[in-house]
Amino acid sequence: MGFKYITLFINDPSFWQAFQNTITLGVLTLLFCFPMPIIFALMLNELRSQKFKKFVQTVAYLPHFMSVVIIAGMILQNFSMTGTVNQIANTVFGTTVNFTQDASWFRPMYISSEVWQTMGWGAILYLAALTRVDESLYEAARIDGANRWQQTWHVTLPAIRPTIITLLILNIGTFMAVGFEKILLIYNPLNYATSDVISTYLYRVGLESSNFSYAAAIGMFESVIGLTLILSANAISRRLAGTSLW
Amino acid sequence: MKGTTMNPADVEQGIDTKQGARTKRDARQTGVLIKDMKVSRGMRVFRVVNLAFLLVVVFLTVYPFLNIIAQSFSSEGFINAGQVNLFPMGFNTETYKLILADSTFWNNYGNTVLYTVVATAISMVLTTSFAYAIAKKDLKGRSVFIGIAVFTMFFNGGLIPNYVLISSLGMRDTLWAVVLPNAISVFNLLIMKSFFENMPRELEEAAAIDGLSQYGVLFKVVLPLSKAIVATMVLFYAVANWNSWFQAFLYLDNPELFPVTIYLRNMIAGVTTAGSAGGTAENVGQIAANIQSVTIVLTVIPILCVYPFVQKYFFSGVMLGSVKE
């Protein structure tokens, strides 16, 4: 027992790079992937045709049911030198980019695929909450002269606020674990500068270099931060919004 | 139902016709005030934009799948030249024949089926019994059991301690390393628990008075009434197991034991087995693109086939879980 491994990682620049990447990807994920399902659910909710709504939902949920290995395969193919993204880049800008190997493109690639993968299924809980909004609230708002936008802002959003907050807390709780399996599948040494996160770093240290104790110390650190994040998010939300997980 | 389903064409028609017709249609629609129609011009634009946006979303969601299918039927020359997007170019089914003739592929596919069946069965037995027990309000230490389960959602030892544990239990290179570590999903457990909690107590009491044992009550009364939730849970677990790869990747070294996701993973990572068949060194990467696409298509087919029929169960499962807030 001792703090040998803790001091080791505190002085390890690769760890701090991974730490920074984890935070950056985590923040970007929250920023882009969290609001999209809400917007998507609200847009679906405005559809008049139930059949079309069902159709859009059915299609949008599909990526959720795919193995992350398949998703990774699709990402690598679409962003490859001859893939669709480069076909478009070539047509529009006349150049191609090696997206999968260029460190500066890893984040856009990761985040856009994450949005693609999670937007549809993420909307499901919001749609459930939207069906439970009291119809008479809208009627009252209309009588008060509220237009559709005002109705959305003052009736719909407050009504689904508990769902939004609950999911936000849960998202913050998984902040540190950012898409470990997916990153492990799509990253490579050429883009470690932006793609290497704590969990992939400890995977390499622990299982590829068999440095178990060191990796376990990093893992412990990661778990403690994760737990702290969710506990504080929960406490803050209980105090400010009156909604909490427990 | 008819009155509430409208497409933009209907809206347009409604506005073009005379006032009388408009109010008549409004009258058919309960809950829509005449006042609402005043903003119809802005609304009309919004609806068209909304519809267009959602159609774009649908296209973007489906596109990667169509692209993979197109690539799987294309010949390498066209993939190399970056000409394949929505439709196959230089129609080619050789790769399908190659993969379908690969005995490793079939062996791994069989493993996936085996792991999915065994893991789902184990998960269902454990989750159902756990959930049924903690749904009983008078269970001693109930909150402790729930607490232990929920705690694992937010905190765990991490990758390395788990790896050391599984290895020292001697489960490496066995089926158990794949099917046991994630046997209980706490999320599913909580959904099932809230379902059992909402079941009328009187039913079980009546059955107990009729002389059924504790197990009799569970098997003859509770479970037959829980078919919907059981079906949903089976689907949740089956899909998760079908798609899983990381446990197998960590704990299995013997290629004979790999699930098909590892077969695909190795292909993506370039340590391919079937990829070595044919092709010169310099275009191995591109050949892999075609072979990968074929493997992806073949792996996805079972899910795509059952998906339209089972997706409503997933939806209802999430609903059940979210009702209690």
Side-chain angles (χ1 to χ4, degrees):
Chain A
M1 182 65 201
F3 293 98
K4 182 181 156 205
Y5 292 106
I6 311 253
T7 39
L8 194 61
F9 80 66
I10 283 176
N11 295 312
D12 177 356
S14 302
F15 168 77
W16 288 110
Q17 186 192 51
F19 182 78
Q20 213 182 340
N21 287 338
T22 309
I23 304 283
T24 313
L25 279 181
V27 169
L28 288 174
T29 309
L30 266 188
L31 223 55
F32 287 98
C33 300
F34 184 73
M36 286 309 276
I38 305 176
I39 299 168
F40 182 56
L42 289 175
M43 293 185 92
L44 270 177
N45 201 43
E46 293 296 326
L47 282 180
R48 293 295 190 90
S49 158
Q50 292 301 311
K51 263 197 190 134
F52 184 65
K53 184 176 166 187
K54 265 261 144 61
F55 167 73
V56 178
Q57 279 177 276
T58 308
V59 171
Y61 298 159
L62 193 57
H64 177 79
F65 297 96
M66 296 297 134
S67 171
V68 63
V69 184
I70 287 167
I71 306 264
M74 287 180 174
I75 296 170
L76 293 178
Q77 301 226 351
N78 274 292
F79 284 96
S80 78
M81 285 307 280
T82 57
T84 306
V85 181
N86 263 324
Q87 288 174 27
I88 295 169
N90 197 19
T91 315
V92 180
F93 304 105
T95 55
T96 52
V97 181
N98 202 344
F99 292 107
T100 55
Q101 301 191 340
D102 186 340
S104 60
W105 281 100
F106 179 80
R107 282 168 190 158
M109 186 171 84
Y110 175 84
I111 298 293
S112 58
S113 75
E114 198 70 9
V115 168
W116 177 80
Q117 203 185 335
T118 56
M119 187 174 84
W121 186 255
I124 203 167
L125 287 173
Y126 298 116
L127 285 167
L130 284 171
T131 60
R132 291 196 296 270
V133 181
D134 191 352
E135 198 53 44
S136 62
L137 287 175
Y138 289 111
E139 222 149 297
R142 272 195 294 263
I143 289 165
D144 288 344
N147 63 30
R148 281 308 275 261
W149 173 244
Q150 288 165 327
Q151 286 172 37
T152 304
W153 192 253
H154 295 290
V155 179
T156 314
L157 279 178
I160 62 171
R161 198 173 66 172
T163 313
I164 297 178
I165 291 172
T166 307
L167 289 177
L168 186 62
I169 300 173
L170 285 172
N171 269 285
I172 289 172
T174 54
F175 190 87
M176 295 304 283
V178 283
F180 165 60
E181 290 188 13
K182 193 161 104 182
I183 295 176
L184 194 64
L185 286 164
I186 62 173
Y187 82 158
N188 60 58
L190 292 172
N191 56 25
Y192 279 174
T194 49
S195 63
D196 196 20
V197 292
I198 297 180
S199 44
T200 51
Y201 180 61
L202 84 85
Y203 169 82
R204 284 203 315 280
V205 169
L207 297 177
E208 285 176 7
S209 319
S210 296
N211 204 340
F212 282 0
S213 309
Y214 185 30
I218 298 175
M220 191 67 198
F221 177 75
E222 186 191 16
S223 294
V224 169
I225 293 186
L227 188 67
T228 316
L229 278 175
I230 194 162
L231 288 177
S232 13
N234 196 48
I236 292 171
S237 134
R238 183 166 40 203
R239 186 153 307 167
L240 295 183
T243 310
S244 62
L245 289 182
W246 58 82
Chain B
M1 202 61 210
K2 262 225 165 85
T4 54
T5 49
M6 274 209 317
N7 55 42
D10 286 337
V11 179
E12 218 130 330
Q13 201 188 9
I15 280 141
D16 288 341
T17 50
K18 281 184 294 246
Q19 181 75 32
R22 213 195 286 180
T23 28
K24 201 173 148 202
R25 207 200 53 214
D26 286 341
R28 272 194 283 133
Q29 278 182 286
T30 46
V32 175
L33 300 179
I34 312 269
K35 205 172 176 191
D36 195 32
M37 297 309 289
K38 269 191 203 150
V39 291
S40 61
R41 190 172 172 73
M43 256 333 262
R44 211 158 36 131
V45 174
F46 168 75
R47 277 201 194 120
V48 172
V49 172
N50 192 21
L51 196 75
F53 180 85
L54 289 172
L55 283 174
V56 170
V57 169
V58 167
F59 176 75
L60 287 179
T61 310
V62 178
Y63 178 79
F65 295 97
L66 298 177
N67 182 244
I68 290 292
I69 295 171
Q71 286 207 25
S72 73
F73 284 109
S74 298
S75 56
E76 26 166 317
F78 290 96
I79 300 178
N80 267 338
Q83 290 177 349
V84 182
N85 38 58
L86 267 179
F87 304 102
M89 305 279 278
F91 196 78
N92 153 35
T93 54
E94 288 305 309
T95 322
Y96 274 97
K97 287 178 194 149
L98 189 81
I99 298 282
L100 290 174
D102 183 4
S103 61
T104 314
F105 176 76
W106 286 111
N107 164 279
N108 291 355
Y109 221 110
N111 287 337
T112 294
V113 174
L114 175 71
Y115 297 158
T116 303
V117 171
V118 174
T120 307
I122 292 174
S123 297
M124 281 313 292
V125 171
L126 293 179
T127 310
T128 311
S129 37
F130 197 168
Y132 184 64
I134 58 175
K136 292 271 164 286
K137 297 255 154 64
D138 51 356
L139 176 75
K140 278 204 186 84
R142 175 175 182 261
S143 56
V144 177
F145 291 122
I146 298 175
I148 290 172
V150 171
F151 182 70
T152 64
M153 277 176 106
F154 303 116
F155 195 81
N156 59 63
L159 182 68
I160 306 297
N162 277 330
Y163 180 82
V164 173
L165 173 69
I166 299 293
S167 302
S168 54
L169 286 172
M171 294 206 279
R172 278 191 66 99
D173 254 336
T174 66
L175 167 146
W176 307 112
V178 180
V179 300
L180 284 182
N182 290 328
I184 294 182
S185 143
V186 179
F187 183 74
N188 291 352
L189 177 75
L190 294 179
I191 293 180
M192 243 187 157
K193 165 183 157 282
S194 70
F195 182 88
F196 286 142
E197 274 173 352
N198 291 334
M199 197 168 266
R201 239 188 120 80
E202 294 76 22
L203 274 174
E204 292 181 50
E205 279 164 5
I209 291 166
D210 285 350
L212 280 178
S213 68
Q214 190 77 65
Y215 290 101
V217 172
L218 175 61
F219 285 109
K220 294 194 176 131
V221 179
V222 175
L223 284 182
L225 288 171
S226 313
K227 276 184 196 131
I229 189 80
V230 169
T232 309
M233 291 294 113
V234 168
L235 284 171
F236 274 159
Y237 278 122
V239 168
N241 287 313
W242 184 274
N243 286 337
S244 84
W245 70 286
F246 193 62
Q247 300 295 326
F249 179 63
L250 271 188
Y251 302 121
L252 302 181
D253 297 320
N254 180 358
E256 296 277 293
L257 294 173
F258 288 169
V260 75
T261 41
I262 299 296
Y263 182 89
L264 180 59
R265 183 264 160 198
N266 289 345
M267 213 167 250
I268 292 169
V271 278
T272 163
T273 45
S276 54
T280 50
E282 73 260 25
N283 58 9
V284 147
Q286 287 313 320
I287 292 174
N290 181 234
I291 296 184
Q292 273 177 34
S293 307
V294 171
T295 316
I296 290 176
V297 170
L298 291 173
T299 320
V300 163
I301 283 176
I303 293 199
L304 284 188
C305 290
V306 295
Y307 174 70
F309 306 102
V310 300
Q311 54 112 354
K312 64 167 190 261
Y313 291 100
F314 283 102
F315 195 70
S316 61
V318 172
M319 293 298 134
L320 284 168
S322 72
V323 166
K324 216 172 140 253
E325 268 169 0

